[in-house]
Amino acid sequence: MQGHSVTFAVVLACCAASAAQADVYKYVDGAGKVYFTDAPMKGSQYRLEWQRASKKLVRENKAKSAGLDQRKTPLKKAAPITGSLATRRATYETLIAANARRYGLSPALIHAVVRAESAYNPSAVSRAGAQGLMQLMPGTAARYGVTDSFNPVENIRGGTAYLRDLMDMFDWDLELALAGYNAGEGAVIKHGRKIPPYAETQAYVRKVRQFLWAEKDVGTGVVMSVR
């Protein structure tokens, strides 16, 4: 819904060495689609939102990772990814990997969110009306140009774009980004940029962290990349 581990080191791993010397650019086109790239994009349809040095991103991500590793909240071990869950996961592995590259996130993080949101069920609908693999609310879907939330291609693109924007919004604090994905970014800001005191949201953040840790056993890529 939208609304210790070395797990965080996995998500906040630094950019690939080949990209570490370049800047990272964020563009938005006329349809609201978001692009992260290591080279300027040409064309009047692309609006530059920000430009940051990759070395700075690497330093920030390492610092965030080091700080999060010191958290003492223990995590219960998540159930292994086996059987029908593993089969469903494999169905979307290529699609998730492509969006991870496009938006500069770890595939492991996207898998963890999809598992927590829908258990890889593209037809899932929540009581609140969130839809599809990454459980997009209608307003969020519209915001990211998703016309059919039950289409896995559109849903994963929109959900990943939203997750990347939340990571940027909360300075790559994974827990705040996940809280924003579950409860909405407004709730996180309203509560002083802290995880809102909602039992559902707090449980959701723990669940995604558990699933993220489980991803280390299935061989997903762990390097944040740029185009």
Side-chain angles (χ1 to χ4, degrees):
M1 298 177 191
Q2 291 357 300
H4 273 171
S5 119
V6 294
T7 301
F8 296 100
V10 169
V11 178
L12 301 178
C14 62
C15 299
S18 61
Q21 304 303 317
D23 284 353
V24 177
Y25 303 82
K26 177 182 176 182
Y27 288 90
V28 179
D29 66 16
K33 294 181 180 179
V34 181
Y35 303 82
F36 294 91
T37 176
D38 57 357
M41 297 179 69
K42 297 180 179 179
S44 59
Q45 70 271 36
Y46 300 113
R47 183 180 77 256
L48 177 66
E49 288 214 339
W50 53 252
Q51 173 185 350
R52 301 174 70 184
S54 290
K55 286 184 177 180
K56 182 177 180 181
L57 287 175
V58 169
R59 289 195 300 270
E60 289 176 352
N61 294 344
K62 285 183 176 179
K64 289 290 183 183
S65 177
L68 290 168
D69 285 347
Q70 300 304 313
R71 294 183 179 178
K72 298 179 180 180
T73 305
L75 289 178
K76 294 181 180 179
K77 188 173 182 180
I81 303 172
T82 59
S84 60
L85 180 63
T87 300
R88 295 195 301 272
R89 181 190 182 283
T91 300
Y92 302 106
E93 192 163 3
T94 299
L95 184 58
I96 286 175
N99 280 279
R101 288 192 298 271
R102 177 176 182 178
Y103 293 104
L105 294 176
S106 166
L109 174 58
I110 305 172
H111 276 288
V113 170
V114 172
R115 182 179 176 185
E117 291 288 350
S118 68
Y120 296 94
N121 177 6
S123 301
V125 179
S126 76
R127 289 176 295 177
Q131 300 175 335
L133 288 164
M134 296 188 75
Q135 290 289 274
L136 299 180
M137 292 295 287
T140 303
R143 175 177 166 189
Y144 288 92
V146 175
T147 58
D148 181 3
S149 289
F150 297 113
N151 180 325
V153 174
E154 289 194 54
N155 188 285
I156 291 177
R157 178 191 58 74
T160 304
Y162 181 43
L163 187 57
R164 174 60 198 245
D165 278 350
L166 289 168
M167 292 290 281
D168 288 330
M169 181 180 299
F170 296 115
D171 299 321
W172 283 80
D173 186 311
L174 175 62
E175 291 195 339
L176 294 186
L178 292 175
Y181 196 93
N182 178 263
E185 60 265 38
V188 177
I189 294 170
K190 175 183 176 181
H191 288 90
R193 296 177 74 88
K194 295 180 180 179
I195 299 175
Y198 311 148
E200 177 188 332
T201 299
Q202 294 176 354
Y204 175 82
V205 172
R206 288 194 298 271
K207 180 187 292 187
V208 176
R209 289 174 59 202
Q210 289 174 319
F211 291 165
L212 182 56
W213 178 246
E215 282 293 320
K216 72 181 182 64
D217 296 324
V218 291
T220 52
V222 298
V223 177
M224 188 186 81
S225 61
V226 292
R227 289 177 58 191

